[in-house]
Amino acid sequence: MSSKPSKRPLKVRIKSGGGRSPASKRWLERQLNDPYVARAKREGFPSRAAFKLIEIDDKHHLLKQGARVVDLGAAPGGWSQVAAQRVGSMEGRGNSVQGRGKVVAIDRLEMAPIAGVEFIQCDFLDPRAPDEIKALLGAPADVVLSDMAANAIGHRRTDHLKIMALAEAAVDFARETLAPGGAFLCKVLQGGTEATLLAALKRDFSHVRHVKPAASRPDSAELYLLATGFRG
């Protein structure tokens, strides 16, 4: 089944007034008219972001049965839920279950429990965080995912640098944590500095590319860096 949602026949428009700012009105209209938002509610995902990972994985096959996965910046949990379903961490309990994957997620925000996901509520940039993740994981990771985003302040250059700093921290963690042959997927923003990160990843991975799934809004500057074949 295709991950692309069917088109909505009617566009919902919000009346002006009611104490809403123009920006709030635009955001609400976009949410109400976004078919991925509606589909996420129907299929039980906590956010539309789940479909970004679904579309990327359908094409590039990162999440294999039995894989160990780390999800950085996991809240509200869409990527973790997809990962748990695809690597089989929802099946059975205990490390003795053959072929059962493992998903460890971290975020400084609260996240509702998800079957098959072990969650750490902690800022990933806390110096203790990497060791806590590795302890729960119990072995090198096969996949490191990062959909982390810093709080935007509205200054484009500053926002870009903040999210790229998170991406660089995620790359450093992936280098320390991945098993040979592992994969890394990370959100970045278009703006020039992602090319530097791309070049750095090419030294450590066999294949590195930009990907932009259909579920990523066309007017968004977000891209994803996908690196596979970690050289270890």
Side-chain angles (χ1 to χ4, degrees), residues 76 81 110-117 119:
Q81 187 173 335
E110 291 184 12
M111 189 171 90
I114 296 172
V117 178
F119 176 62

Side-chain angles (χ1 to χ4, degrees), residues 18-41:
R20 296 189 184 92
S21 68
S24 175
K25 178 176 176 287
R26 287 193 299 271
W27 180 88
L28 185 56
E29 283 186 344
R30 186 173 69 171
Q31 290 293 102
L32 291 173
N33 290 288
D34 188 329
Y36 286 103
V37 172
R39 187 177 171 194
K41 291 179 181 178

Side-chain angles (χ1 to χ4, degrees), residues 46-104:
S47 74
R48 69 187 302 286
F51 298 106
K52 300 176 189 178
L53 181 58
I54 288 170
E55 289 169 357
I56 292 170
D57 189 53
D58 283 350
K59 184 173 182 178
H60 299 286
H61 311 294
L62 309 175
L63 301 171
K64 299 178 175 63
Q65 187 78 14
R68 292 177 180 268
V69 180
V70 178
D71 184 9
L72 307 176
W79 280 28
S80 291
Q81 187 173 335
V82 171
Q85 292 171 354
R86 296 200 171 198
V87 306
S89 66
M90 302 172 73
E91 300 169 5
R93 288 290 181 269
N95 293 330
S96 62
V97 181
Q98 186 175 5
R100 189 176 74 86
K102 192 175 187 73
V103 178
V104 176

Side-chain angles (χ1 to χ4, degrees), residues 98-143:
Q98 186 175 5
R100 189 176 74 86
K102 192 175 187 73
V103 178
V104 176
I106 183 169
D107 202 294
R108 61 185 179 82
L109 302 177
E110 291 184 12
M111 189 171 90
I114 296 172
V117 178
E118 297 188 62
F119 176 62
I120 304 168
Q121 187 174 356
C122 178
D123 189 333
F124 172 65
L125 298 180
D126 186 311
R128 299 167 294 180
D131 287 340
E132 289 188 39
I133 296 169
K134 292 172 189 175
L136 274 181
L137 202 60
D142 298 297
V143 182

Side-chain angles (χ1 to χ4, degrees), residues 8 40 55 78 105 113 117 166 175 184 227:
R8 291 171 63 106
E55 289 169 357
V117 178
L166 289 174
R175 288 190 183 111
F184 174 66

Side-chain angles (χ1 to χ4, degrees), residues 11-26:
K11 184 172 182 178
V12 178
R13 294 190 181 278
I14 304 298
K15 292 182 179 179
S16 300
R20 296 189 184 92
S21 68
S24 175
K25 178 176 176 287
R26 287 193 299 271

